[in-house]
Amino acid sequence: MRIAVIGTGYVGLVVGACFAETGNDVVCVDKDAAKIRGLNKGKIPIYEPGLEEIVKRNHAEKRLRFTTSLPEAVQRCAVIFIAVGTPTGEDGSADLKHVLAAATEVAQSMNGYKVIVDKSTVPAGTADLVHSTIARHARHPYAVVSNPEFLKQGAAVDDFLRPDRVVIGTTDTRAADMMRELYRPFTRTGAPIMVMDPASAELCKYAANAMLATRISFMNEIANVCEAFGADVDRVRQAIASDKRIGSAFLFPGVGYGGSCFPKDVKAIIKFSADKKYKFRILQAVEDVNEAQKLRLLTRVDKRFGKKLKGKTFAVWGLAFKPRTDDMREAPAVPLIQGLLARGAKVRAFDPEAMHVARRIFKKQITYARNAYDAIKGADALLVVTEWNEFREPDFERMKKLMNAPVVFDGRNIFDPRQVRELGFSYSSIGRP
Ligand SMILES: NC(=O)c1ccc[n+]([C@@H]2O[C@H](COP(=O)([O-])OP(=O)(O)OC[C@H]3O[C@@H](n4cnc5c(N)ncnc54)[C@H](O)[C@@H]3O)[C@@H](O)[C@H]2O)c1
C-alpha cells in the first residue's frame, strides 16, 4: 500500500519506518525542513532503540521517503496517517490546531478516494471534527479512521512491530478492511485487531494512559506512607504484584511520571470530562500527587543542606523522562535542576542520550559531564533521576573518591540501601528505610 505519514516525530517516524519494513511504500511528511533535510541525509532526529537501522535500510531500499510537500504525499498515497503533536492548550485541553491544519491541507490536496487516519492522541469526537473539516474542502470521497497509537518511547519499534492490540475506530467497512490488511503482518501472533466506533477508539488511548499514570501516582503515595511508618515499599510492591488481579507492571515508585503523553493526556481527560460536566476526581488527584512527587528529592536536599546551596555542587544522573529515550518533555529532572539552581547550587549532569536536549533547555546554567563519573567529581551529593541500566552497578569505591561527600539521593530505587550504606554512603531512596 502507498502510505503517507504527516508529522515525522517520535510516533510518525516509527510508524512510517515500521510500515515500510513490511513492504509498504511510505512517505513521511514534516513541516520542519531541517528535520527532513537531516533524514534525507541519514540523520535520525531522535534516539529510539532499533529505529536508526530500519529507517536507514528502508530509506536505502526506497520504500521510505521524506518530504516537506504534503500535497505531493497525499496525491501519491491511498492511506494518510496524521501523527502531528496534540500539546496541552492553555485550559488543559488537547490542542487540535496541528491536527486540523493537517486535515485541511489533506482535503485541499486530495485527487481521489483517501482513508485519513488520526494517529495522534485526540479527544473523543475528533474523528467527527476531522470529517467535517475535510468536508469543507474535499471534492473526492474519503473515510476518517481513528487509530490510536500505544507504543512507548524506549521500546517504540518493538511495540509497533509486536502490538498487544490494534484499535481501529470507524463505521466505514471499506476503510476498516484496508486497516486490517495494513496491520495483518504485525498481528500474526494473535494480537487482536479491535474495530469499534471512533469515539470509543479515541477514549481507549486516554483510558490506557490514565490507568498507567494512576498506578504510578498510587504507588508513589504508598511509598510516601511506607516512609512515614519505616516500612519498605519494595516488600509491599512485590506482595501486591503477585496478586494476579493486580500484576507487576507500573508499580515502581519514583520521582513521578513525565514525558509528552501521561501529563498531557491526564490533563486532557480531566478537561474534556469537565466539558461534559463530569468531574474526574481520581485523575485530578493523580496529577496533584505527581506534581508533588517530582519535588520529593528536593525536599530531601532541603532537609539535609538547608535552602541555601551556594558553594555546593550536585551531580544529576539521568535527564530523560525515562531510560532508552532522549526525550526530556516534562521530565522530572527539569524542575529538580531548576530548584537546585534557584537555591544557588552548581549542577553537573549526565544522561547517556539526552545531553543535546538538556543543552537546549539549560544552556550555560549547568555543567554537562562526559560520563557518570565525570558528573560526580567534587559533588556534595548525587541525585539519581532516571534509571538507565548503566547507572545500576557503578564502582562505588571510585564514586567515593570522586565525590566531595558520599551522599546519594536515589529517586529510582536502583541501589541496595544496605550495600551502599555499608560502603559508607549516606543514602536515601523512595519509600524504603
Ligand atoms: N511520543 C509518544 O510516545 C506517543 C505515543 C503514542 C501516541 N502519541 C501521540 O502521537 C502524537 C505525536 O506525538 P509525537 O511525540 O510524535 O510528537 P512530536 O512533537 O515528536 O512530532 C510531531 C511532528 O509533527 C510535525 N508537524 C506538526 N504539524 C504539522 C503539519 N501541519 N504538517 C507536517 N508536519 C507537522 C512537527 O514538526 C513534529 O515533527 C501526539 O498526539 C501524541 O500524544 C505519542
Side-chain angles (χ1 to χ4, degrees), residues 26-262:
V26 180
V27 48
C28 285
V29 185
D30 206 288
K31 62 181 183 184
D32 181 340
K35 189 184 267 191
I36 294 299
R37 254 197 319 276
L39 280 161
N40 277 321
K41 286 187 199 146
K43 193 166 162 269
I44 312 298
I46 54 167
Y47 173 73
E48 190 56 54
L51 182 61
E52 181 160 2
E53 190 209 322
I54 62 165
V55 169
K56 285 191 169 162
R57 178 154 33 82
N58 285 286
H59 187 50
E61 288 166 14
K62 301 201 172 5
R63 283 193 301 267
L64 180 61
R65 294 180 311 116
F66 303 102
T67 181
T68 52
S69 172
L70 187 146
E72 187 194 307
V74 168
Q75 281 158 24
R76 190 183 154 76
C77 299
V79 182
I80 294 132
F81 282 84
I82 298 178
V84 299
T86 46
T88 303
E90 271 172 27
D91 57 0
S93 61
D95 187 343
L96 295 176
K97 66 170 181 276
H98 299 301
V99 171
L100 298 180
T104 304
E105 240 192 295
V106 169
Q108 290 165 340
S109 314
M110 278 161 60
N111 57 345
Y113 177 74
K114 307 284 170 188
V115 176
I116 296 129
V117 187
D118 284 339
K119 191 48 127 173
S120 302
T121 301
V122 289
T126 304
D128 290 345
L129 199 57
V130 167
H131 203 286
S132 56
T133 302
I134 294 173
R136 258 179 253 135
H137 306 277
R139 276 178 284 119
H140 297 275
Y142 63 93
V144 175
V145 175
S146 168
N147 172 222
E149 181 48 55
F150 297 94
L151 65 78
K152 56 183 173 301
Q153 285 174 236
V157 172
D158 207 47
D159 283 350
F160 195 84
L161 295 175
R162 277 172 282 277
D164 291 335
R165 70 337 209 159
V166 173
V167 171
I168 293 167
T170 185
T171 47
D172 184 307
T173 47
R174 180 177 171 193
D177 286 345
M178 284 169 80
M179 296 297 287
R180 275 201 196 88
E181 187 61 32
L182 206 48
Y183 277 104
R184 202 183 313 281
F186 308 112
T187 53
R188 280 181 315 174
T189 48
I193 296 179
M194 300 170 171
V195 180
M196 59 187 79
D197 63 283
S200 301
E202 288 160 337
L203 272 171
C204 287
K205 173 67 188 173
Y206 284 101
N209 275 357
M211 168 68 93
L212 296 171
T214 302
R215 281 174 77 106
I216 293 173
S217 277
F218 175 81
M219 277 315 283
N220 283 335
E221 292 223 278
I222 293 285
N224 298 343
V225 174
C226 282
E227 281 174 21
F229 284 92
D232 184 344
V233 73
D234 261 354
R235 302 282 175 171
V236 179
R237 177 180 58 77
Q238 284 156 8
I240 63 171
S242 52
D243 185 326
K244 285 193 192 67
R245 296 167 302 176
I246 296 174
S248 62
F250 275 79
L251 290 184
F252 289 87
V255 288
Y257 60 74
S260 69
C261 292
F262 287 6

Side-chain angles (χ1 to χ4, degrees), residues 197-319:
D197 63 283
S200 301
E202 288 160 337
L203 272 171
C204 287
K205 173 67 188 173
Y206 284 101
N209 275 357
M211 168 68 93
L212 296 171
T214 302
R215 281 174 77 106
I216 293 173
S217 277
F218 175 81
M219 277 315 283
N220 283 335
E221 292 223 278
I222 293 285
N224 298 343
V225 174
C226 282
E227 281 174 21
F229 284 92
D232 184 344
V233 73
D234 261 354
R235 302 282 175 171
V236 179
R237 177 180 58 77
Q238 284 156 8
I240 63 171
S242 52
D243 185 326
K244 285 193 192 67
R245 296 167 302 176
I246 296 174
S248 62
F250 275 79
L251 290 184
F252 289 87
V255 288
Y257 60 74
S260 69
C261 292
F262 287 6
K264 98 173 156 60
D265 294 349
V266 167
K267 283 189 184 73
I269 198 167
I270 293 170
K271 176 68 172 80
F272 66 65
S273 305
D275 290 345
K276 293 283 181 195
K277 308 250 176 300
Y278 186 78
K279 192 172 174 193
F280 213 131
R281 284 163 294 183
I282 289 179
L283 288 182
Q284 189 55 60
V286 165
E287 205 195 1
D288 294 345
V289 169
N290 195 56
E291 285 307 302
Q293 197 71 16
K294 283 200 232 167
L295 299 176
R296 194 123 182 122
L297 286 192
L298 209 52
T299 315
R300 299 267 170 84
V301 169
D302 288 345
K303 225 173 176 177
R304 183 177 176 109
F305 295 97
K307 280 200 176 182
K308 292 205 175 93
L309 300 177
K310 203 165 168 32
K312 298 261 179 256
T313 299
F314 287 81
V316 174
W317 280 5
L319 299 166

